[in-house]
Amino acid sequence: MIDVADGLTHVLVPYALATVLSLRYPWITTRLATVAMVGGVLPDLNRLQWIVPPETIESILGVSVSWRPMHSIGGVAVVIAIASLTVRATYRRAVALLLALGALSHFVLDLLLVPPAGTYQYLWPITSARLVVPGFYTSHDRWVAIVAVLLALAAHALARRRSHALERDSPVRIEG
Ligand SMILES: [Zn+2]
């Protein structure tokens, strides 16, 4: 079963990151922050193996498949490339960048999990080595989700204050 708190962390952290980055890079719109949230859950598409077992696909296509590479930079890069081709050319780069931001934040968060939960072949296909860092939380720790909520709220408040300040500073608005 997908842990709700864990899933929440994986969408809220990229949202907070994208929102904070939007202060510096105004082209990162609220919509693109949502794209980063989607990126945050991309690596966990490997969980599709529970819904669509590899054996099922193998029996249909006759080739051996594995969902496992989804949880690596290689698998995610393929999905991002496909996904960015489905959007308009003007948004392609922005969408790819924000999906990548979300996916990277996912890997960093997973890496900080207490092993063995956080040990994956993240760098596949560059290397199949399993990265292991000591980690300091488990996927059942609720406080991580609480921290993520607070971070997201803080980022949101910061972005709102900034946009209000911008409105205040430019009383003469040029209406298109
Ligand atoms: Zn994960």
Side-chain angles (χ1 to χ4, degrees):
M1 215 185 85
I2 294 170
D3 195 301
V4 178
D6 192 39
L8 205 64
T9 309
H10 281 314
V11 293
L12 289 178
V13 168
Y15 169 79
L17 283 173
T19 306
V20 168
L21 282 172
S22 75
L23 299 175
R24 175 89 176 74
Y25 306 101
W27 57 266
I28 303 178
T29 55
T30 316
R31 270 192 190 180
L32 284 169
T34 318
V35 170
M37 293 164 87
V38 175
V41 293
L42 276 187
D44 277 348
L45 284 183
N46 68 338
R47 287 172 168 162
L48 280 174
Q49 65 192 353
W50 296 333
I51 303 162
V52 188
E55 300 77 37
T56 312
I57 307 172
E58 276 168 36
S59 65
I60 299 168
L61 299 177
V63 288
S64 81
V65 284
S66 167
W67 286 112
R68 209 175 311 145
M70 271 309 306
H71 209 279
S72 68
I73 54 165
V76 160
V78 171
V79 176
I80 291 176
I82 296 169
S84 52
L85 284 177
T86 65
V87 298
R88 248 191 280 164
T90 25
Y91 299 117
R92 208 158 277 166
R93 223 184 104 204
V95 166
L97 277 172
L98 281 134
L99 283 176
L101 173 77
L104 278 178
S105 76
H106 182 114
F107 292 139
V108 171
L109 283 168
D110 274 6
L111 207 57
L112 298 175
L113 282 166
V114 173
T119 55
Y120 274 103
Q121 295 162 321
Y122 295 106
L123 295 179
W124 185 88
I126 297 168
T127 166
S128 293
R130 287 174 179 271
L131 292 183
V132 188
V133 296
F136 64 95
Y137 69 95
T138 74
S139 56
H140 299 290
D141 283 345
R142 296 283 180 266
W143 65 265
V144 184
I146 296 166
V147 170
V149 169
L150 293 176
L151 280 176
L153 286 174
H156 181 74
L158 220 73
R160 262 189 61 171
R161 242 179 73 181
R162 158 82 172 233
S163 71
H164 282 290
L166 283 177
E167 272 172 35
R168 230 189 4 249
D169 292 347
S170 56
V172 185
R173 254 194 292 167
I174 303 149
E175 303 283 324

